[in-house]
Amino acid sequence: MLFFVYLWVHDGALGRLVDKAEGPLKYPGTLTGLLSADLMFVQVVLMARIPWIERSFGRDQLVRIHRLSGFTSLTLMLVHVVLLMFSYVVRDGRSPFGSLWWMIADWRGMMLATLGTVLLVIVGITSSRAARKRLRYHSWHLLHLYTFLGIGLVVPHMVWAGSEFKEPWAQVCIVSLYVVALGSLLTFRLAMPVLRSVRHRVVVDRVIEDAPGNVSVHLRGRGLDQLRAQAGQFFIWRFRDGRGWTRGNPYALSAAPRSDVLRITAKEVGVNSSRLRTLRPGTRVLFEGPYGRFTGDSRHGRKLTAMASGIGITPVCALLEELAYAPGEAVLLYRASSDDDFVFRQELDELAQQRGTRVVYLPGHRPRERSSWQPEPASEDDHIALQRLVPDISEHDVYICGPDAWGQSAAVAARRAGVPAKHVHLERFAF
């Protein structure tokens, strides 16, 4: 960001702000364009799934930063266009649309930049919360890929038409930024997943129905311990079982990873998750990952409470299996709509018997009157109910996984019950 501001100052923009009639519009307009371009590069790097960035921030935090930088970048870009358009209205006496058309038709690279801007606006609109609720994940993801094309079309006009890049060293710098961002994307989201998939030769071993509407896929491969996967993490999976196999689906590990076996579990709620039931042994699998910080590495003490709702039990079950704790030091609060919807019940009961994990099953639907992690009827405050079930909750690390609104309610209750914010670990199932 400072580098782009330096280019703006180095070009003499501060002096021209007051020296020219169009200065108060034109030069803030060029600055907003530069800052918008900078945030474009940031977005690409954040979503390139670079391992050390993923481990440092965690997937949820990266998605939030990416979303904030994306909307900020789009806003700055539109402000950039409007300010430049009106600056030439002031300078040349053109009409606003005449000024805009002159910029598009006469400036080098502006036709490409205009098309790129249109693509980025479409991505921005479809990334709003209202639009995402109406779009299937894969439809939204496909539209979102146009971000990279939009950025690629916008960048050239900066080098060709921007006075800030008239010197060769400045051109080398911005092209280098573009190459690093694009190179990171191609390396970590394309090359590495392909190489790892070829190396580890993961295939479907067997498919099991754990509970009505919930399917577990057992995967076998070679040298899977070299992936350094941890319980609580997730992968992006592509099963080569026919048409549509190129669509990646994020599924968390539902059992502690072993050197030759991984297990994932999903609830059949759509076309892609329902396909898991039809997978045949021997089906080849491509994967990306592991990703996520919902692991034992974020743990601060010995005691832990895990809170899961619905299919959110999948990473939680793996965590309880892998993490070290003494009898009585781990509690699981597991909510589902009915007794038939509890997944891994036999495994959880075995954990309770063999390792002393206290498992509390909470059957019941979500309360209609308010958002709560408790099942209906939620007759007491959320944090009071949590303290009643786990009296020493303030001494625990709390791992939470489930639907977004439910998880937020559980996290708020944990903090109100005295758990420090850094001891609350929330995994979201939302895009």
Side-chain angles (χ1 to χ4, degrees):
M1 188 76 76
L2 290 174
F3 168 71
F4 279 94
V5 173
Y6 168 76
L7 288 178
W8 183 75
V9 174
H10 181 72
D11 190 48
L14 286 176
R16 295 171 189 164
L17 273 172
V18 294
D19 290 346
K20 297 187 175 183
E22 73 275 15
L25 292 171
K26 180 178 179 180
Y27 295 101
T30 59
L31 180 59
T32 56
L34 291 169
L35 298 182
S36 174
D38 175 71
L39 290 175
M40 289 180 193
F41 292 119
V42 171
Q43 289 178 72
V44 174
V45 171
L46 286 178
M47 302 314 290
R49 293 178 180 151
I50 301 172
W52 53 90
I53 294 181
E54 292 275 338
R55 288 193 296 268
S56 299
F57 289 88
R59 195 83 199 130
D60 289 347
Q61 184 69 4
L62 284 179
V63 169
R64 285 194 293 272
I65 298 173
H66 170 75
R67 186 176 297 161
L68 176 62
S69 64
F71 282 116
T72 304
S73 175
L74 180 59
T75 302
L76 289 172
M77 179 189 295
L78 297 177
V79 171
H80 162 71
V81 173
V82 171
L83 288 177
L84 286 186
M85 179 179 68
F86 280 100
S87 73
Y88 293 110
V89 171
V90 172
R91 192 190 73 175
D92 302 331
R94 303 172 186 265
S95 68
F97 289 107
S99 177
L100 181 63
W101 176 248
W102 171 72
M103 291 163 57
I104 294 173
D106 286 15
W107 289 13
R108 188 181 177 190
M110 277 299 294
M111 285 290 188
L112 294 177
T114 301
L115 179 57
T117 301
V118 171
L119 290 175
L120 292 171
V121 169
I122 292 172
V123 171
I125 292 172
T126 56
S127 295
S128 66
R129 294 188 183 277
R132 291 205 319 273
K133 290 178 180 178
R134 292 169 171 79
L135 286 172
R136 291 169 53 191
Y137 172 78
H138 289 98
S139 300
W140 170 84
H141 188 264
L142 183 62
L143 288 168
H144 209 67
L145 292 178
Y146 282 106
T147 300
F148 305 122
L149 178 58
I151 293 173
L153 293 173
V154 165
V155 168
H157 94 283
M158 297 173 59
V159 180
W160 294 338
S163 61
E164 297 85 3
F165 299 98
K166 61 181 179 291
E167 298 184 38
W169 65 267
Q171 295 177 11
V172 169
C173 285
I174 190 170
V175 171
S176 298
L177 285 175
Y178 188 75
V179 169
V180 168
L182 182 61
S184 298
L185 192 73
L186 294 176
T187 298
F188 296 106
R189 295 199 67 168
L190 183 62
M192 283 188 62
V194 170
L195 290 174
R196 283 183 168 181
S197 297
V198 171
R199 178 182 182 184
H200 295 287
R201 297 183 181 179
V202 176
V203 298
V204 174
D205 186 43
R206 64 186 191 276
V207 178
I208 298 173
E209 184 176 14
D210 296 287
N214 293 278
V215 175
S216 286
V217 180
H218 296 250
L219 305 163
R220 187 171 296 277
R222 63 179 188 178
L224 297 180
D225 53 328
Q226 297 171 17
L227 295 173
R228 298 182 180 179
Q230 297 175 267
Q233 291 187 305
F234 70 94
F235 290 75
I236 308 295
W237 305 95
R238 291 175 173 86
F239 299 95
R240 300 193 61 180
D241 60 337
R243 185 179 177 183
W245 71 266
T246 55
R247 298 172 181 170
N249 293 278
Y251 296 124
L253 297 176
S254 59
R258 289 160 41 191
S259 61
D260 61 342
V261 174
L262 301 174
R263 186 184 74 180
I264 60 174
T265 303
K267 185 178 181 64
E268 297 177 274
V269 294
V271 174
N272 294 288
S273 54
S274 297
R275 287 178 65 172
L276 297 180
R277 179 184 296 278
T278 65
L279 292 175
R280 297 180 179 180
T283 299
R284 294 291 300 273
V285 183
L286 302 180
F287 64 89
E288 301 174 43
Y291 301 124
R293 287 203 312 169
F294 194 69
T295 67
D297 288 345
S298 56
R299 189 177 173 190
H300 294 84
R302 291 284 302 179
K303 297 181 178 181
L304 67 100
T305 292
M307 303 177 68
S309 176
I311 202 61
I313 190 62
T314 52
V316 166
C317 184
L319 276 172
L320 291 173
E321 181 184 345
E322 182 179 86
L323 296 182
Y325 51 85
E329 289 184 338
V331 180
L332 169 63
L333 306 180
Y334 183 10
R335 197 199 73 78
S337 298
S338 66
D339 287 321
D340 293 334
D341 293 319
F342 288 113
V343 188
F344 308 137
R345 187 150 195 168
Q346 182 178 346
E347 292 182 31
L348 295 173
D349 291 342
E350 289 176 359
L351 273 176
Q353 184 177 4
Q354 297 171 7
R355 299 196 57 186
T357 309
R358 185 161 69 90
V359 180
V360 181
Y361 295 104
L362 300 168
H365 294 283
R366 290 179 298 175
R368 296 180 181 179
E369 295 133 2
R370 64 185 179 93
S371 177
S372 173
W373 67 268
Q374 303 177 70
E376 194 176 35
S379 57
E380 54 187 340
D381 290 343
D382 282 355
H383 69 289
I384 299 297
L386 191 55
Q387 289 172 323
R388 174 175 56 79
L389 291 168
V390 190
D392 58 345
I393 186 70
S394 61
E395 303 171 16
H396 289 220
D397 278 275
V398 180
Y399 288 85
I400 302 167
C401 188
D404 198 40
W406 179 91
Q408 290 286 1
S409 298
V412 170
R415 289 192 291 268
R416 290 189 64 191
V419 181
K422 65 180 181 179
H423 292 197
V424 178
H425 317 289
L426 176 61
E427 182 80 337
R428 292 179 173 86
F429 279 177
F431 72 90

